[in-house]
Amino acid sequence: MASVQSLTSAVHQRLANALSAALPESADADPLLRRSDRADFQANGILALAKKAKANPRELAAQVVAQVTAGDLIKDIEVSGPGFLNITVSDRAIVENLAARATDPAGRLGVPQADAPGTTVIDYAQPNVAKEMHVGHLRSAVIGDAVVQLLEFTGETVVRRHHIGDWGTQFGMLIQYLEEHPHELDHKASEVSGEEAMSNLDRLYKAARGLFDSDEEFKTRARRRVVDLQAGDAKTLAMWQKFVDESKIYFFSVFEKLDMEIRDPDIVGESGYNDMLAETCRLLEESGVAVRSEGALCVFFDDVKGPDGNPVPLIVQKSDGGYGYAATDLSAIRDRVFHLKANTLLYVVDARQSLHFKMVFETARRAGWLGEDVTAHQLAFGTVLGKDGKPFKTRAGETVKLQDLLDEAVERATAVVRDKAEKVGLSEEEITENGRYVGIGAVKYADLSTSAVRDYKFDLDQMVSLNGDTSVYLQYAYARVQSILRKAGEARPAAHPELELAPAERELGLQLDRFGETVLEVAASYEPHKLAAYLYQLASLLTTFYDQCQVLSADNPAEVVENRLFLVDLTARTLHQGMTLLGIRTPDRL
């Protein structure tokens, strides 16, 4: 596969070679190269090396400069301040590098794959059976999906897992109610919408809960039903399956709205690990990792104590023999490590569950299921807040339904698209489709452009704004390039390395060059917000470029027009690829 070495990497290599030649004992020293506002790059590593070698930093810097092989890559290199190096690359190097990216036969814009890809099992988008998805489910789904795209793009083998809540005592109540009201989940038509499925489930849940709270005899029957479910009674399991199937109709409709692929085989809920629970407990107890305390099977930790100062254990099995979340999560780890052969386990789960996962991972490590060759990581995320800075709720104080939120985002975005539609000549069908892409993109980008660990404010007015750090701004930047390419007539994008670049062209080119290393860095650290920041900066530099450099001007020589078309075309392709990795569409006309 053809990957393209970035200019940063090429300059770094030349400096490292020069350092080794000037100071042989510093063979593996890092020149500490970074982007600079004084030149294209600045290297700061010589100061520390001079101190170590008891040398004058400016003199050492001059010696390094004398050893640098400039070639076609480096146009200028000078010593600055106490021993910094300011480096400017040649215009030719920038354009040739971008030309190599543009013609990458693999269509990856020269982005390399990770050095040592492995297998990651990622646990994300975890709704609960028979319950409406709310705004809290949004972050796990959106962040998880972006990380999946990024890891797969960099060559990782990714196994998706949606650990849905499909087991527990509440199912006794639901199944018993369905047994006594057998037609509650019947469908009027052969095709049933997600909305109708959720409406059925919601109605049944409320009725069953009402009866459970008010009728002692029903409560007794419901509790017996839990025993039947856990014992694997065939009739009870068949009714339980009805709830799972009905819920999946609803789940799939929400994920489709989110423009997200969720595959049925990837949905392995709590129930999927039932057969492993007893063995998980036995293995932990026999190895001494877990001990019996007041009848319960517990794992204790030195650094986990309650407000009273006493140790708080992870309870794997309750004193009545029942299993909690810990037993399921530990069984899932065993399955993912020994059956799915994962090197990395990634959990996209609310930060409020951090203590639980810390204890689960430490237990698995003590048991020998996690180690140097297999690591587990919780990609914890913060809370979605309303404009008032408090957890996002409806006016009535209820949790906001995800479906309602997405519908409103699409409605707002469609109004924004319609506002400009006449100018572009969009059909009603295109307005509807683009409204969906812009609305869902706006919601995803607002989430992904914030560091996952931070809370963020859900403000639809801001999300669908054409100004500022929004996905709409990026989508319009992409569409604007497509418009220019359509107007170009006979002129075609073509790289001209012999041309001198204007400052705005250089800045745009240097940013395009950073795409590959940004993608690898973001995938390795699971930080999609850094890719969002890169794309926003790219779109901003494109705007500056438009302001300062006319693309289709009759006053410009043909090669200048072609080179500028080449620059904007590669920018659009980079925006498209980056947005795709975030799970966001880029319509050609907006």
Side-chain angles (χ1 to χ4, degrees):
M1 192 208 80
S3 68
V4 178
Q5 186 184 29
S6 70
L7 293 170
T8 312
S9 175
V11 171
H12 187 281
Q13 189 62 57
R14 300 274 173 104
L15 288 184
N17 293 345
L19 261 175
S20 295
L23 199 68
E25 61 268 35
S26 67
D28 297 323
D30 186 346
L32 297 179
L33 192 70
R34 60 181 181 79
R35 288 297 309 275
S36 167
D37 52 5
R38 308 218 167 158
D40 294 334
F41 300 100
Q42 189 173 73
N44 302 339
I46 290 170
L47 294 175
L49 285 171
K51 195 174 178 184
K52 202 170 163 190
K54 296 187 169 48
N56 178 306
R58 275 190 72 91
E59 284 175 15
L60 179 57
Q63 287 166 24
V64 171
V65 169
Q67 296 289 346
V68 169
T69 312
D72 283 343
L73 176 64
I74 295 173
K75 178 185 175 185
D76 187 42
I77 180 165
E78 60 174 24
V79 179
S80 163
F84 300 133
L85 293 181
N86 286 339
I87 301 119
T88 302
V89 294
S90 70
D91 291 350
R92 172 176 289 277
I94 293 173
V95 178
E96 284 180 346
N97 176 284
L98 298 183
R101 292 183 183 284
T103 54
D104 174 5
R108 292 172 54 86
L109 304 178
V111 179
Q113 294 199 326
D115 289 339
T119 298
T120 294
V121 176
I122 177 167
D123 189 325
Y124 69 107
Q126 309 107 342
N128 293 310
V129 165
K131 286 190 182 169
E132 186 111 35
M133 287 174 74
H134 55 77
V135 70
H137 291 113
L138 177 69
R139 299 210 73 183
S140 177
V142 169
I143 296 166
D145 186 60
V147 172
V148 167
Q149 306 302 330
L150 280 156
L151 289 175
E152 287 185 337
F153 189 68
T154 56
E156 187 78 357
T157 300
V158 179
V159 182
R160 310 159 190 221
R161 277 292 173 266
H162 309 295
H163 191 91
I164 63 171
D166 67 351
W167 203 249
T169 52
Q170 77 275 20
F171 282 99
M173 170 186 92
L174 295 171
I175 293 166
Q176 189 57 38
Y177 188 85
L178 188 61
E179 162 83 351
E180 294 172 18
H181 303 81
H183 299 297
E184 281 295 302
L185 290 183
D186 290 355
H187 296 144
K188 300 181 188 77
S190 55
E191 279 288 308
V192 62
S193 70
E195 232 158 286
E196 189 192 328
M198 192 61 240
S199 168
N200 281 345
L201 290 164
D202 197 42
R203 188 181 63 248
L204 192 150
Y205 190 90
K206 283 173 180 164
R209 168 56 71 186
L211 207 53
F212 188 85
D213 291 342
S214 62
D215 183 334
E216 283 302 317
E217 287 182 7
F218 176 77
K219 188 182 276 190
T220 304
R221 293 196 298 276
R223 285 185 169 148
R224 273 206 301 268
R225 186 63 75 173
V226 175
V227 177
D228 294 342
L229 178 65
Q230 291 177 339
D233 171 63
K235 187 182 176 189
T236 303
L237 278 175
M239 280 193 284
W240 166 80
Q241 190 64 47
K242 275 191 170 185
F243 284 99
V244 175
D245 293 342
E246 192 80 3
S247 297
K248 280 184 180 177
I249 295 170
Y250 162 68
F251 295 158
F252 284 125
S253 75
V254 176
F255 290 126
E256 193 179 338
K257 216 164 241 187
L258 270 169
D259 197 14
M260 201 174 280
E261 185 195 33
I262 301 281
R263 302 179 294 227
D264 199 51
D266 301 334
I267 299 176
V268 182
E270 293 167 2
S271 63
Y273 306 101
N274 283 348
D275 295 346
M276 299 176 70
L277 302 178
E279 190 184 9
T280 295
C281 291
R282 181 180 62 76
L283 291 169
L284 291 172
E285 193 168 10
E286 283 177 2
S287 62
V289 172
V291 293
R292 292 280 166 191
S293 174
E294 297 174 27
L297 186 62
C298 303
V299 183
F300 289 92
F301 308 86
D302 293 337
D303 59 341
V304 183
K305 293 186 170 66
D308 55 2
N310 292 328
V312 176
L314 181 72
I315 300 172
V316 186
Q317 189 178 26
K318 299 173 209 168
S319 53
D320 64 2
Y323 303 104
Y325 289 130
T328 307
D329 286 333
L330 287 162
S331 298
I333 287 176
R334 285 177 52 220
D335 177 64
R336 293 165 185 185
V337 172
F338 300 111
H339 175 230
L340 298 175
K341 308 293 185 207
N343 312 104
T344 307
L345 305 180
L346 198 53
Y347 293 78
V348 189
V349 182
D350 191 317
R352 286 171 294 192
Q353 294 190 46
S354 293
L355 179 59
H356 168 77
F357 278 102
K358 180 186 171 187
M359 293 160 85
V360 164
F361 295 161
E362 175 58 19
T363 300
R365 193 189 64 73
R366 289 181 192 176
W369 306 334
L370 296 176
E372 281 179 22
D373 51 343
V374 189
T375 55
H377 177 73
Q378 183 196 357
L379 181 42
F381 56 82
T383 308
V384 181
L385 308 173
K387 284 187 194 180
D388 57 2
K390 294 175 183 166
F392 201 26
K393 296 271 196 280
T394 63
R395 284 193 185 139
E398 292 167 11
T399 307
V400 179
K401 294 175 180 178
L402 183 51
Q403 197 141 353
D404 294 349
L405 204 67
L406 299 178
D407 288 344
E408 191 182 345
V410 169
E411 202 177 301
R412 298 272 190 100
T414 306
V416 170
V417 172
R418 189 179 295 284
D419 196 38
K420 291 190 173 285
E422 200 176 324
K423 195 174 160 191
V424 190
L426 295 183
S427 67
E428 193 57 39
E429 195 179 329
E430 285 174 309
I431 293 171
T432 304
E433 186 176 77
N434 288 355
R436 206 170 81 242
Y437 294 157
V438 171
I440 298 304
V443 171
K444 287 183 176 182
Y445 187 85
D447 195 315
L448 293 169
S449 57
T450 308
S451 169
V453 292
R454 287 177 51 201
D455 300 343
Y456 81 98
K457 286 184 184 176
F458 197 96
D459 181 348
L460 272 178
D461 293 328
Q462 174 54 31
M463 287 178 189
V464 298
S465 166
L466 300 175
N467 303 313
D469 189 3
T470 65
S471 78
V472 197
Y473 176 69
L474 301 182
Q475 287 167 322
Y476 267 101
Y478 175 82
R480 190 175 180 184
V481 174
Q482 300 312 313
S483 170
I484 288 172
L485 294 172
R486 285 194 295 273
K487 286 177 190 160
E490 294 294 304
R492 285 282 166 267
H496 286 275
E498 74 281 3
L499 291 177
E500 195 174 314
L501 297 177
E505 290 176 302
R506 295 187 99 258
E507 283 304 308
L508 187 60
L510 288 167
Q511 179 73 355
L512 286 167
D513 174 61
R514 287 183 51 226
F515 182 60
E517 56 200 32
T518 301
V519 167
L520 286 190
E521 181 192 318
V522 164
S525 62
Y526 315 126
E527 293 180 302
H529 71 279
K530 289 185 175 174
L531 177 57
Y534 167 87
L535 295 171
Y536 175 60
Q537 197 182 352
L538 181 64
S540 303
L541 289 170
L542 181 67
T543 303
T544 307
F545 166 83
Y546 283 140
D547 292 344
Q548 296 179 12
C549 306
Q550 271 203 305
V551 181
L552 301 176
S553 169
D555 299 337
N556 286 335
E559 58 271 23
V560 171
V561 173
E562 288 172 356
N563 201 57
R564 286 180 178 174
L565 281 172
F566 161 72
L567 276 174
V568 295
D569 180 46
L570 185 58
T571 303
R573 288 169 61 189
T574 305
L575 280 171
H576 171 77
Q577 181 61 75
M579 295 287 266
T580 299
L581 293 174
L582 295 179
I584 299 172
R585 305 260 186 168
T586 42
D588 280 359
R589 303 196 317 151
L590 265 180

